[in-house]
Amino acid sequence: MRTSALKKDFTHHLLQWNRKLNKRHMPWKGEKDPYKIWLSEIILQQTRVEQGWAYYDRFIKTYPNITKLAAASEEKIFKLWEGLGYYSRCRNLIATARYISSERKGIFPDTFEDILALKGVGSYTAAAIASFAFNLPHAVVDGNVFRVLARYFGISVDTMSSEGKKQFTMLANELLDKKKPGIYNQAIMDFGALVCKPQNPLCTGCPLKNECVAFNKKKVQDLPVKSKKLVKTKRWFYYLVIEHNNQVLVRKRTEKDIWQNLYEFVLLETEKSTSPEKLTGTGLFEQVFERGSFRVESVSDTYVQQLSHQTIEGRFLRIRPKKMPVVEGFEVVSLSRLTRLAFPRFISRYLAEMG
Ligand code: SF4
């Protein structure tokens, strides 16, 4: 089949599948309010739909419009975001809400370029908002779209290369139904999530299989081509939960590192895995406590959290000091206040298990 006919067929079959067979329900689907679309897209940037759904519902319930979100305290917003990870999204969410509320009188921008200029909004998110809320003809291009297009058209160019990104973006915009860009964009995202999945795509029942190059040439497993392999660094965190008179020491992380703006206990980071016994005998411990002025009440099991570029592994040492030590940068808070602070998942899992 000629390429132009193949392209036409793709769009036609995709929209037909969407009309007749796509039963995927999501609370933000068909939404026209740019605030709600933006919120859902920011939540979904690094999060699966199943996990993001409940967060979206809670955010919309608590902050039904951008003015309400802009007026809320950082602490409350971070608490609501707790557990979603990738906290730079939350910082950008707050900054953008406040910018739109104060500089644009609460009115969301309505051009692709102005949407793209918002903090935390990349070309994918801008295309999604522009097409869903304002019916503007911009195609979404992400891993889902790379996969569907690479397979259907049999493209083996590396999707991680700049040439690949350029080629897929051009093709995606050519295929876009310019009259119904929102419906088309949602359809290709749903199709990639439900049918042309990364593992075990449903080729046998796929309405696009007759023309799909990868299916007909038995190359489905080989496409898309992704070259870059992620190298993860490993870090060891040992948290000292120093508890005295129903109070503990915490601080807000402010460095340019993971978990910025989230709270944590006193952290001893080591270069390799170590035993709690070894740890309490090191100079690191003496920086916090005078010799013999504490006892280790319990040591947790090992906790692991996978981040995109790092693996965090570590344990929690619950410590009873004779008096609360003064540790620079840390504040003393009551145990009851802990429930109102936002912690990284690594810590909140420990707190949940400790009750
Ligand atoms: S036939 Fe298989 S590989 Fe081709 S578009 Fe359909 S699901 Fe994807």
Side-chain angles (χ1 to χ4, degrees):
M1 193 186 274
R2 279 185 21 251
T3 318
S4 57
L6 198 64
K7 287 177 184 167
K8 226 168 146 190
D9 246 57
F10 174 85
T11 306
H12 172 72
H13 281 128
L14 177 71
L15 291 175
Q16 201 171 46
W17 167 83
N18 185 54
R19 230 178 11 258
K20 295 186 177 163
L21 299 169
N22 186 6
K23 302 272 184 281
R24 196 182 196 198
H25 169 69
M26 293 179 292
W28 49 83
K29 217 167 145 175
E31 182 59 66
K32 289 283 164 208
D33 179 347
Y35 164 66
K36 292 181 182 168
I37 296 166
W38 163 71
L39 186 62
S40 71
E41 291 299 332
I42 300 294
I43 289 174
L44 293 181
Q45 274 173 359
Q46 313 277 352
T47 302
R48 284 176 301 110
V49 167
E50 301 72 38
Q51 195 199 355
W53 191 315
Y55 281 86
Y56 172 82
D57 283 344
R58 280 202 289 275
F59 262 89
I60 292 298
K61 209 167 156 213
T62 317
Y63 309 116
N65 56 54
I66 204 153
T67 318
K68 289 242 159 67
L69 179 62
S73 76
E74 265 188 30
E75 196 167 299
K76 278 197 174 146
I77 300 172
F78 268 96
K79 189 64 194 163
L80 210 55
W81 190 272
E82 190 183 64
L84 260 184
Y86 299 94
Y87 287 86
S88 56
R89 291 181 295 170
C90 189
R91 284 192 291 281
N92 290 334
L93 195 81
I94 296 169
T96 296
R98 289 179 181 170
Y99 160 74
I100 292 178
S101 180
S102 63
E103 306 294 318
R104 303 184 59 98
K105 299 188 179 120
I107 297 165
F108 212 92
D110 60 1
T111 67
F112 178 78
E113 292 68 27
D114 287 349
I115 298 168
L116 186 61
L118 297 173
K119 250 188 162 178
V121 172
S123 49
Y124 173 89
T125 307
I129 300 169
S131 62
F132 297 154
F134 305 110
N135 214 34
L136 295 172
H138 293 271
V140 290
V141 186
D142 71 343
N144 261 321
V145 176
F146 284 151
R147 185 173 62 255
V148 174
L149 300 187
R151 286 175 176 168
Y152 182 85
F153 292 95
I155 305 169
S156 51
V157 57
D158 181 1
T159 57
M160 301 305 279
S161 67
S162 50
E163 176 52 35
K165 285 188 178 133
K166 214 162 105 189
Q167 212 172 306
F168 281 105
T169 305
M170 268 171 63
L171 178 59
N173 276 298
E174 256 184 83
L175 297 167
L176 180 75
D177 183 324
K178 310 286 186 295
K179 289 196 185 118
K180 304 175 214 156
I183 291 173
Y184 171 91
N185 277 339
Q186 188 64 59
I188 196 165
M189 281 149 66
D190 290 348
F191 185 76
L194 301 178
V195 183
C196 198
K197 302 183 287 183
Q199 309 299 331
N200 307 319
L202 310 178
C203 297
T204 330
C206 172
L208 274 64
K209 73 174 179 205
N210 289 344
E211 285 79 35
C212 174
V213 175
F215 179 70
N216 290 302
K217 291 194 173 170
K218 301 199 174 6
K219 281 185 157 185
V220 175
Q221 297 311 321
D222 304 333
L223 295 172
V225 174
K226 269 191 202 172
S227 68
K228 267 190 207 157
K229 290 257 180 302
L230 201 63
V231 183
K232 282 199 179 191
T233 50
K234 197 158 184 180
R235 297 171 73 178
W236 282 269
F237 283 13
Y238 294 90
Y239 275 115
L240 311 184
V241 186
I242 304 167
E243 198 180 323
H244 183 68
N245 284 346
N246 288 326
Q247 292 179 316
V248 283
L249 284 179
V250 293
R251 69 156 195 154
K252 196 191 253 192
R253 288 175 66 92
T254 50
E255 310 87 4
K256 253 188 164 248
D257 191 4
I258 56 169
W259 302 338
Q260 209 182 2
N261 286 58
L262 300 186
Y263 281 83
E264 67 175 357
F265 300 112
V266 176
L267 170 64
L268 302 182
E269 184 173 356
T270 57
E271 282 177 6
K272 52 185 187 284
S273 170
T274 186
S275 69
E277 294 73 34
K278 271 194 188 153
L279 203 66
T280 50
T282 62
L284 280 173
F285 239 73
E286 282 164 16
Q287 287 171 17
V288 182
F289 301 105
E290 285 167 31
R291 204 175 282 269
S293 65
F294 68 91
R295 75 184 154 83
V296 179
E297 192 170 81
S298 62
V299 179
S300 75
D301 291 335
T302 301
Y303 284 76
V304 180
Q305 186 175 352
Q306 301 288 348
L307 304 172
S308 58
H309 294 77
Q310 302 181 21
T311 303
I312 310 296
E313 195 172 315
R315 302 171 82 172
F316 293 83
L317 282 70
R318 201 162 169 188
I319 295 184
R320 296 274 185 184
K322 285 188 180 149
K323 63 174 180 149
M324 189 60 103
V326 177
V327 183
E328 201 187 328
F330 281 79
E331 54 179 311
V332 178
V333 300
S334 65
L335 287 175
S336 59
R337 200 177 151 220
L338 289 185
T339 54
R340 295 199 298 277
L341 303 179
F343 289 97
R345 185 190 288 262
F346 189 84
I347 298 178
S348 59
R349 269 174 50 216
Y350 164 77
L351 289 174
E353 278 165 32
M354 296 305 290

